[in-house]
Amino acid sequence: ISSHPSLAFTIEMRIVLIPGMGCTPVASSNWYSWFANEMRRRSYVDEFILRDFPDPHQCRESVWIPFLKEEIGLDESTVIVGHSSGAACAMRVLENDAFPKLLGTILVAAAHTDLGDAREARSEYFNREWDWNKMKSGAENIILFHGTDDHLIPVKEARYIASEMNDAKHFEYYEIDNVSHFFSPWQEILDVMDSKFRK
């Protein structure tokens, strides 16, 4: 028991948004500010980090993982929300021993291959196999969203990820129609956040 009771009251929940490739400035990209504003209105969210990332057009793992570890900092109270290339980054965070077990990870429009795209290949996330078992143990809650009509990352990519992850009781997969690559706000992410994290 701490001799300083006030120190026991740490941040209960913080959210970190990991953006997609080319999303700069982050605050004016896609649904990010809408989501940040919605979450900041909720009493169970203590902090929402919406920051520009370095190397925004290549999103290299060798740049983004150290940025998350050293500049932003992730801990047991953190929920990371990764979109597109940011989802690939979040998946590598989950299997990385340098990070603690997170409170949650939300993957939006994730891929498990570079889809033959040279830019995605340069991001470094797809240059080796995924450690699915390790990934399952990287967060208390793991949620995957994908659009059935995503024209950039085919839905079969997400279905494969789900097939590797779905034996974990804390993993959930949602397919949504008519959202494309998630460029605009969508209600389901708010519903999931409220159901999983509101106390």
Side-chain angles (χ1 to χ4, degrees):
I1 300 174
S2 172
S3 60
H4 301 283
S6 62
L7 298 181
F9 295 98
T10 56
I11 290 176
E12 289 189 3
M13 179 175 164
R14 59 203 294 267
I15 302 171
V16 176
L17 192 289
I18 309 176
M21 184 176 288
C23 294
T24 183
V26 169
S28 60
S29 298
N30 301 313
W31 42 273
Y32 304 157
S33 283
W34 164 81
F35 181 56
N37 291 335
E38 287 287 340
M39 289 293 101
R40 286 169 178 154
R41 290 169 45 198
R42 284 156 164 79
S43 60
Y44 64 87
V45 176
D46 296 279
E47 183 181 14
F48 193 109
I49 298 173
L50 186 67
R51 286 183 57 178
D52 289 334
F53 275 54
D55 193 36
H57 298 289
Q58 293 193 60
C59 314
R60 287 170 296 176
E61 180 181 7
S62 58
V63 176
W64 279 23
I65 293 292
F67 178 72
L68 285 166
K69 185 174 186 298
E70 298 161 15
E71 293 291 323
I72 292 180
L74 307 180
D75 60 25
E76 296 87 348
S77 68
T78 303
V79 175
I80 56 174
V81 180
H83 176 221
S84 196
S85 294
C89 179
M91 290 163 66
R92 288 302 181 193
V93 167
L94 285 175
E95 60 176 36
N96 191 322
D97 289 333
F99 296 99
K101 185 172 186 176
L102 304 176
L103 179 60
T105 298
I106 311 296
L107 306 170
V108 183
H112 71 97
T113 73
D114 63 18
L115 300 166
D117 185 300
R119 289 190 310 159
E120 294 294 344
R122 285 194 296 271
S123 74
E124 305 167 349
Y125 301 110
F126 308 104
N127 61 11
R128 61 200 185 280
E129 295 297 317
W130 298 94
D131 189 334
W132 301 108
N133 286 328
K134 208 170 202 181
M135 205 182 298
K136 293 169 192 173
S137 65
E140 293 182 21
N141 299 277
I142 304 172
I143 313 296
L144 172 61
F145 289 100
H146 211 93
T148 56
D149 57 338
D150 192 326
H151 63 291
L152 295 178
I153 299 179
V155 69
K156 67 180 181 180
E157 289 280 311
R159 289 173 180 168
Y160 181 84
I161 295 169
S163 73
E164 293 289 343
M165 298 288 288
N166 65 10
D167 63 331
K169 293 180 180 179
H170 59 288
F171 172 79
E172 295 178 10
Y173 174 48
Y174 297 89
E175 282 186 11
I176 306 174
D177 297 329
N178 303 314
V179 291
S180 183
H181 192 59
F182 295 92
F183 297 114
S184 302
W186 80 103
Q187 179 64 36
E188 288 86 349
I189 193 171
L190 302 183
D191 295 341
V192 164
M193 294 298 290
D194 288 343
S195 67
K196 291 295 178 186
F197 303 110
R198 180 161 52 194
K199 297 177 180 178

